């Protein structure tokens, strides 16, 4: 099935099951510890345990590696290094890939700190860990470039974030009545999902099965097969439960590659989890940015010049952190200059983390809007309303937004939050020893769609089974897909079983870029659509007139039980949803508005978030329970990005020094008050038959800026060097 | 530069006997003394409900109840607990017979990916008991009058990180169970 024109009315529009606040169908398994994650599968034979040793330098080469003691240690079965690693495919880049070959232990060169230099397999975890510490490695260290600020002149236009230049920005900016010209910096950040990257690999002859923590099953299947030089059909991937991903599990790392290679050599299953202190430098992170935002407006706030430059870095061949992207679409203005420049760094690999681009780009753009509003003496909400635009500002009215309720989100949020009651000037309001401030920011995230397939089977007895490679990384896929199938076939939710995350099932979108719920639901929709036609035909009805309701298919007053049509063998259909060019014809994005109240301690500069509200317009909300939780997660990670999250670079040694959860600070219970989320009614006819858009990343995009703007409103200090820690506020008060 | 051996010799270590009562069932084990309580549960008793998030006491995913009190099972060795009783998430309830807190987590969506959830649950059970016993926390104003509040919960559960950030829903779930008086 191909989605290539605005969706006509369809059975989802009944909203009998979809849009209802069902709790997670897999919930009882998760809360009782019965849901198996990658490392937890029982095996027919005793497993062996892998342990990865990471490099102790950031840049150079291994000159000698002595594994003698490790190999002689009790229980040790195998020690792999670049000297004895079985043949693998080559890669042009040291950055692990989503779906291309990503070799490990491929040579003596060290390209980043904690890159795998050895892999020990032993009978027990304790033996493997102890033996890894017996390996002696000698390195030749060569100078590396670890400082983004020193590389900005060498940056090049990346292929994943092309320039958007319209009109004559420099003249318009020079002529503008009111301008801001501001530089922001955002640090490297870590996805830090609670489940470490983990894999169990086992071979049966030439057939490899990997249970692994990954967001997109067919990507890791392809990438692993290419890496190991085996046909994809010989690789089965299972990822039924994943303990969070936030982008880092879009790639595959040493746990997967080395477990698979070692299991083949040993003829035994190998299970490996990356230990937490390794993850921050060994896997991926969100790269730091330097951003310059220049805005030029009329006295009434109308923007004429919109400039945003981002500098970011990565290892050669890595993606950019495209922090300018939202600036291409969020506000009008006829003169535009939006550019990303990427330089080469020898830090660990940068890659996707929740809302690549927007999550940190909005910190800059929405901070600049707040400063412009202050300069103009305008309400920051009003400034945003005056620059709302219903089409892609670069392409013009010929490319409208498919749906855009930014203005409604700002107005609804302002009213619900009590924005009119905000302090009008910094340090105007005090509550005990706390200065109180309010902040606002827009929310924006591009809507992406991906091809996705599923099999649906009407079982004898009339229940339905859905099978798809789709993953559930906490996003609610199990529940949402059950709702979609139940809606389509006229069943109750408890009559639908959903099986996910197995490469034996039809290929699916996987989870990433907020495309998961909408895209995988569309795949289930397509399969159900086909099954409906087959069943109507079996019942002798015109499929166009058939109505599925109450476990029956109806034509007028006539009906047939689905259990009767299922017969003894059941009836199944497999289909796939693909897409035409509606994302080209229409700019598709989710919108919203974030409102935050903070307290800044008058003595210590400590910032506490007191309350926060996100208003979200993301098309049809398929399940308000799981969608709200996605927003809570985004808001919290946004608060983290504003106030605490930062990987600190050792600029001499080239590593992230705070590589554990004690020193890489993420928000904990005590940091997060009760949070509010409001969903606006919206149906996006151009996105899919579900009329839904992405939610999970919209929730983070802009939150941090609302926090920063509130900090200014409370304290009078503008901190543009994220995160906003108390030392920076105290320094601002000293000035 | 040289990355040198860090451990003492790899000489084989004697295995030691230990008897643990886990979720009411007695297990007599002979075990490598380096095995944490966490890995004893997960790798030896195949009770994988208790999660390994960091393996060094920074995330809380491995929280279990040891003789009724919450502990980080990654920071203690199995051989240190001969004769003691452990309750894991599997011992709180099963999918068909959920503990009131497990049930409240489902109804309030007090989780997303589910990986920190067993730790949040065991920690919540321990926390409610600590408050009932009058054990104060950093945010307790009057050390002689420990009372339940959302602020107390947030403080006491802060050792249990949830990167999906179901925090508000977890607080709502635990608060409801406390109000109903069946959190033990």
């Amino acid at each position: 099935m191909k989605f290539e024109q605005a969706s006509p009315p369809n059975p989802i529009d009944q909203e009998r099951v979809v849009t209802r606040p069902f709790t997670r169908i897999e919930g009882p398994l998760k809360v009782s510890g019965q849901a198996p994650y990658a490392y937890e599968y029982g095996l027919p034979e005793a497993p062996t345990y892998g342990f990865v040793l990471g490099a102790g330098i950031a840049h150079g080469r291994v000159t000698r590696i002595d594994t003698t003691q490790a190999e002689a240690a009790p229980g040790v079965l195998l020690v792999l290094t670049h000297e004895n690693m079985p043949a693998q495919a080559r890669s042009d880049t040291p950055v692990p890939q989503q779906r291309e070959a990503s070799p490990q232990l491929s040579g003596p060169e060290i390209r980043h700190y904690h890159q795998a230099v050895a892999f020990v397999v032993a009978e027990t975890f304790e033996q493997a860990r102890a033996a890894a510490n017996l390996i002696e490695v000698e390195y030749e260290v060569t100078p590396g470039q670890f400082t983004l600020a020193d590389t900005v002149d060498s940056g090049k236009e990346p292929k994943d974030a092309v320039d958007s230049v319209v009109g004559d920005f420099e003249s318009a900016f020079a002529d503008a009545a009111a301008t801001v010209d501001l530089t922001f910096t955002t640090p490297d950040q870590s996805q830090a999902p609670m489940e470490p990257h983990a894999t169990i690999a086992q071979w049966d002859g030439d057939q490899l099965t990997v249970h692994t923590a990954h967001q997109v099953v067919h990507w890791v299947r392809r990438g692993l097969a290419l890496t190991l030089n085996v046909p994809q059909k010989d690789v089965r991937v299972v990822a039924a439960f994943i303990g969070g991903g936030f982008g880092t599990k879009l790639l595959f790392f040493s746990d997967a590659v080395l477990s698979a290679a070692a299991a083949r050599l040993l003829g035994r299953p190998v299970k490996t989890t990356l230990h937490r202190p390794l993850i921050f430098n060994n896997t991926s992170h969100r790269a730091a940015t330097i951003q310059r935002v220049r805005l030029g407006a009329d006295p009434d706030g109308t923007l004429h010049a919109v400039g945003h430059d981002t500098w970011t870095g990565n290892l050669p061949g890595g993606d950019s952190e495209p922090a300018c992207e939202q600036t291409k679409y969020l506000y009008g203005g006829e003169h535009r200059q939006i550019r990303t420049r990427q330089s080469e760094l020898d830090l660990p690999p940068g890659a996707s983390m929740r809302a690549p681009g927007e999550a940190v780009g909005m910190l800059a753009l929405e901070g600049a809007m707040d400063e412009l509003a202050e300069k103009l003496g305008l309400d920051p909400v009003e400034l945003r309303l005056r620059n709302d635009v219903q089409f892609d500002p670069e392409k013009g009215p010929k490319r409208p937004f498919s749906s855009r309720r930014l203005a409604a989100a700002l107005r609804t949020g302002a009213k619900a939050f009590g924005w009119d009651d905000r302090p009008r000037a910094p340090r105007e309001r005090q509550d005990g020893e706390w200065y109180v401030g309010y902040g606002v920011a827009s929310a924006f995230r591009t809507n992406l769609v991906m091809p996705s397939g599923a099999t649906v089977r009407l079982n004898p007895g009339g229940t339905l089974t859905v099978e798809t490679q789709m993953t559930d990384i906490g996003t609610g896929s199990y529940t949402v897909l059950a709702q979609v199938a139940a809606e389509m076939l006229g069943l109750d939710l408890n009559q639908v079983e959903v099986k996910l995350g197995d490469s034996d099932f039809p290929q699916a979108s996987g989870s990433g870029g907020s495309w998961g719920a909408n895209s995988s639901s569309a795949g289930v929709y397509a399969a159900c659509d086909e099954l409906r036609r087959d069943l109507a035909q079996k019942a002798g009805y015109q499929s166009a007139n058939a109505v599925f309701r109450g476990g029956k298919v109806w034509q007028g007053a006539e009906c047939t039980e689905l259990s009767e049509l299922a017969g003894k063998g059941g009836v199944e259909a497999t289909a796939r949803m693909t897409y035409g060019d509606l994302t080209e014809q229409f700019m598709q994005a989710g919108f919203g508005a974030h409102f935050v109240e903070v307290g800044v301690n008058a003595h210590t500069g400590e910032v506490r978030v007191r309350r926060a509200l996100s208003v979200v317009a993301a098309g049809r909300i398929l399940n308000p329970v799981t969608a709200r939780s996605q927003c809570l997660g985004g808001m919290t990670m946004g608060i983290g990005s504003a106030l605490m999250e930062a990987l600190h670079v050792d600029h001499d040694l080239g590593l992230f020094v705070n590589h554990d959860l004690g020193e890489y600070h993420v928000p904990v219970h005590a940091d997060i008050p009760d949070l509010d989320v409001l969903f606006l009614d919206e149906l996006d006819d151009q996105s899919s038959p579900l009329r839904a858009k992405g939610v999970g990343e919209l929730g983070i995009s802009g939150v941090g800026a609302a926090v920063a703007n509130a900090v200014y409103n409370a304290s009078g200090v503008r901190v543009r060097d994220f995160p906003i820690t108390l030392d920076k506020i105290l320094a601002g008060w000293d000035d | 530069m040289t990355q040198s051996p860090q451990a003492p010799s790899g000489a084989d270590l004697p295995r030691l006997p230990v008897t643990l009562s886990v979720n009411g069932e007695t297990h007599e084990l002979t075990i490598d003394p380096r095995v944490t309580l966490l890995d004893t549960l997960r790798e030896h008793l195949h009770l994988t409900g208790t999660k390994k998030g960091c393996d060094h006491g920074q995330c809380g995913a491995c929280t279990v109840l040891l003789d009724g009190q919450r502990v980080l099972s990654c920071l203690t060795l199995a051989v240190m607990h001969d004769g003691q009783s452990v309750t894991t998430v599997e011992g709180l309830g099963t999918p068909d017979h959920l503990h009131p807190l497990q049930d409240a987590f489902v109804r309030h969506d007090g989780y997303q990916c589910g990986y920190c959830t067993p730790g949040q649950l065991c920690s919540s059970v321990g926390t409610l008991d600590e408050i009932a016993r009058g054990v104060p926390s950093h945010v307790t104003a009057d050390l002689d009058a420990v009372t339940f509040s959302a602020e107390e919960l947030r403080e006491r559960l802060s050792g249990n990180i949830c990167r999906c950030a179901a925090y508000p829903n977890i607080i709502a779930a635990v608060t409801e169970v406390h109000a109903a008086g069946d959190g033990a």
Side-chain angles (χ1 to χ4, degrees), chain A residues 607-619:
Chain A
V607 179
R608 305 291 299 167
V609 174
R610 293 158 64 104
R611 61 193 182 104
L613 165 70
S614 292
V615 183
V616 169

Side-chain angles (χ1 to χ4, degrees), chain A residues 114-146:
Chain A
H114 270 175
Q115 172 187 323
V117 292
F119 184 62
V120 179
V121 185
E123 295 286 356
T124 73
F125 170 70
E126 293 75 22
Q127 290 168 336
R129 182 181 55 190
N133 283 325
L134 297 174
I135 296 170
E136 186 168 306
V137 194
E138 286 179 13
Y139 300 98
E140 178 184 281
V141 179
T142 48
Q145 179 54 264
F146 310 121

Side-chain angles (χ1 to χ4, degrees), chain A residues 20-22 24 354 474-476 480 483 517 616 618-635 677 679 693-697 699, chain B residues 109 112 169:
Chain A
R20 302 292 161 190
F22 288 104
R24 289 170 207 259
R354 195 177 205 154
T475 38
V480 167
Q483 288 175 272
V616 169
R620 177 179 269 137
I621 300 302
L622 303 174
N623 180 324
V625 173
T626 56
R628 176 175 174 273
S629 286
Q630 280 286 289
C631 291
L632 298 181
M635 292 165 81
V677 181
F679 292 113
K693 295 185 286 191
V695 171
E697 297 175 321
Chain B
D109 213 39
Q112 291 198 58
N169 295 349

Side-chain angles (χ1 to χ4, degrees), chain A residues 24 37 49 74 137 139 629, chain B residues 3 10 43 109 112-113 163 167:
Chain A
R24 289 170 207 259
Y37 297 79
Y49 292 81
V137 194
Y139 300 98
S629 286
Chain B
Q3 203 169 347
E43 303 301 323
D109 213 39
Q112 291 198 58
C113 79
R163 188 59 160 157
Y167 297 132

Side-chain angles (χ1 to χ4, degrees), chain A residues 508-521:
Chain A
S509 66
S511 304
S514 293
W515 62 63
N518 184 37
S519 300
S520 65
S521 291

Side-chain angles (χ1 to χ4, degrees), chain A residues 123-415:
Chain A
E123 295 286 356
T124 73
F125 170 70
E126 293 75 22
Q127 290 168 336
R129 182 181 55 190
N133 283 325
L134 297 174
I135 296 170
E136 186 168 306
V137 194
E138 286 179 13
Y139 300 98
E140 178 184 281
V141 179
T142 48
Q145 179 54 264
F146 310 121
T147 305
L148 174 63
D150 293 347
T151 67
V152 295
D153 293 339
S154 65
K156 295 189 173 59
E157 182 181 355
K159 54 186 181 302
D160 56 348
V162 297
D163 292 355
S164 172
V165 178
V166 181
D168 182 354
F169 169 80
E170 297 292 350
S171 302
F173 182 72
D175 295 345
T179 61
V180 290
D181 180 352
L182 303 166
T183 298
F184 298 80
T185 57
T186 66
D188 298 280
Q189 298 172 345
S190 181
Q191 301 91 343
M194 296 315 297
E195 180 203 24
H197 304 262
T199 298
I200 301 176
Q202 53 192 131
W203 292 82
D204 180 4
D206 290 333
Q207 304 286 312
L208 170 66
T209 300
V210 288
H211 292 82
T212 193
H214 203 277
Q215 296 174 221
V216 187
V217 165
H218 71 98
W219 287 5
V220 63
R221 181 193 207 188
R222 182 177 191 274
L224 205 49
L226 289 172
T227 306
L228 301 170
N229 294 317
V230 299
Q232 278 191 65
K233 67 173 177 55
D234 289 347
V235 180
R236 179 179 171 215
V237 172
V238 180
F241 290 95
I242 299 113
F246 312 111
T248 190
K249 292 173 185 169
L250 291 168
L251 313 180
F252 61 100
F253 299 97
S254 53
D255 57 305
V257 174
L258 297 175
S259 297
R264 183 165 227 184
L265 289 172
L266 291 169
R268 290 180 63 183
V270 176
K271 56 191 289 189
T272 307
T273 185
L274 298 185
H275 55 280
R276 182 62 68 177
L278 190 74
I279 288 174
F280 296 78
N281 286 284
N282 176 273
T283 69
S284 66
H285 69 280
R286 188 204 302 282
T289 67
I290 300 169
Q291 301 178 53
R292 181 185 186 195
V293 181
R294 287 178 288 171
L295 302 173
D298 281 347
D300 71 356
T302 306
L303 286 168
H304 294 290
V306 177
H308 192 163
D309 289 287
T310 293
W311 292 269
T312 184
N314 206 341
L315 286 160
D319 291 342
S320 75
E321 181 62 38
C324 289
E325 288 301 290
Q326 72 289 322
T327 309
K328 294 177 179 174
Y329 309 109
L330 192 48
Y331 301 118
E334 61 276 32
H335 302 284
R336 313 176 72 82
Q337 181 170 282
I338 299 160
R339 305 172 299 192
T340 297
R341 292 293 175 268
Q342 181 179 350
S343 55
E344 291 190 1
L345 290 175
D346 298 305
L347 290 171
S352 296
M353 174 169 161
R354 195 177 205 154
E358 283 97 337
V360 290
M362 293 288 274
L363 291 174
L365 177 62
E366 290 298 281
M369 286 294 279
D370 201 64
E371 297 202 38
L372 181 63
E374 184 186 31
K375 222 166 184 174
L376 291 162
L378 263 184
D379 174 354
V381 169
E382 183 57 30
L383 176 64
R384 288 171 172 88
L385 291 173
R386 286 182 189 177
N387 289 289
D388 193 16
V389 60
Q390 295 302 317
F391 51 82
D392 174 347
E394 179 188 327
K395 304 286 189 325
K398 66 182 189 222
R399 191 183 185 217
F401 281 93
S402 56
S403 54
R404 174 171 168 131
R405 299 202 68 197
L406 174 64
L410 285 161
R411 291 196 177 104
T412 302
K415 194 171 171 204

